[in-house]
Amino acid sequence: MARCGFRSIHVPTIDVGFLRTRSPLTAVGGVVTGSSLWRSSSRDGSPFACLSLSISPGIKEAVVTEKAPAALGPYSQAIKANNILFVSGVLGLIPETGKFISDSVEDQTEQVLKNMGEILKASGADYSLMVKTIMLADLKDFKKVNEVYAKYFPSPAPARSTDQVAALPSDAKIEIECIAALEA
């Protein structure tokens, strides 16, 4: 039988560095509409905590630029919420034609990062603020992608994961999504 007991804990101030704030999570003005910190014990008695935030829907802003390919479906190129930018998966398409730059994973990676750069710029961000995920059609391309990727990121490089997926939209070789911290 699993045992899990939850207890709400009052935390007056939490340092959420990437949000650039040192204020209570129950912020004034409806930006953060609710927050909670839960403490629990696992079966073996070791404690763990979970922080959850509720963000008011009024602060969500779509980012759109014609300098990057339009979304291929009912989604935004990127969404700003508070001081965080969520960029949808970006492909190596030429914005003007909607066609892939080439069949080469190196060329597609270069174009993906150029497209992402335009979305970041339209959001008021740049590569230095970015973290997140790479999806590859073939993980054997990992080294080739890293060679191109390394040219775009200052130290420290973003945290990221790289996954091989069964297929990507339009038979792309690579797709990159990201989360970026925006300047306050």
Side-chain angles (χ1 to χ4, degrees):
M1 175 183 348
R3 177 184 70 115
C4 187
F6 291 99
R7 185 176 75 178
S8 183
I9 303 171
H10 173 68
V11 180
T13 303
I14 295 179
D15 180 8
V16 186
F18 71 92
L19 292 176
R20 309 270 194 265
T21 182
R22 287 198 131 170
S23 60
L25 287 175
T26 52
V28 179
V31 174
V32 177
T33 58
S35 65
S36 60
L37 180 65
W38 293 92
R39 181 172 176 228
S40 179
S41 296
S42 64
R43 176 183 257 180
D44 65 1
S46 60
F48 64 90
C50 177
L51 175 66
S52 66
L53 296 174
S54 298
I55 298 174
S56 171
I59 63 164
K60 188 169 95 169
E61 176 187 340
V63 175
V64 180
T65 179
E66 292 182 9
K67 295 181 179 183
L72 298 177
Y75 58 90
S76 300
Q77 287 173 318
I79 292 288
K80 284 177 163 180
N82 287 343
N83 292 337
I84 304 172
L85 176 70
F86 300 88
V87 179
S88 295
V90 178
L91 302 176
L93 301 171
I94 300 168
E96 299 79 18
T97 65
K99 306 244 185 251
F100 285 106
I101 186 97
S102 79
D103 285 335
S104 151
V105 72
E106 295 94 339
D107 290 345
Q108 285 189 28
T109 302
E110 189 85 37
Q111 188 64 44
V112 165
L113 291 168
K114 286 179 184 176
N115 293 340
M116 187 163 284
E118 292 298 335
I119 295 168
L120 290 167
K121 189 186 317 178
S123 305
D126 61 41
Y127 294 113
S128 70
L129 302 172
M130 184 180 130
V131 296
K132 204 48 193 120
T133 304
I134 295 177
M135 290 157 284
L136 289 172
D138 188 347
L139 206 50
K140 291 176 187 164
D141 291 329
F142 185 77
K143 184 177 178 186
K144 295 174 190 174
V145 168
N146 277 338
E147 289 170 5
V148 176
Y149 189 89
K151 297 188 294 185
Y152 283 82
F153 297 99
S155 185
R160 76 163 213 234
S161 56
T162 304
D163 302 308
Q164 179 173 315
V165 295
L168 290 168
S170 302
D171 293 324
K173 305 264 186 210
I174 183 170
E175 180 178 21
I176 300 177
E177 65 183 13
C178 82
I179 298 172
L182 299 173
E183 301 288 344

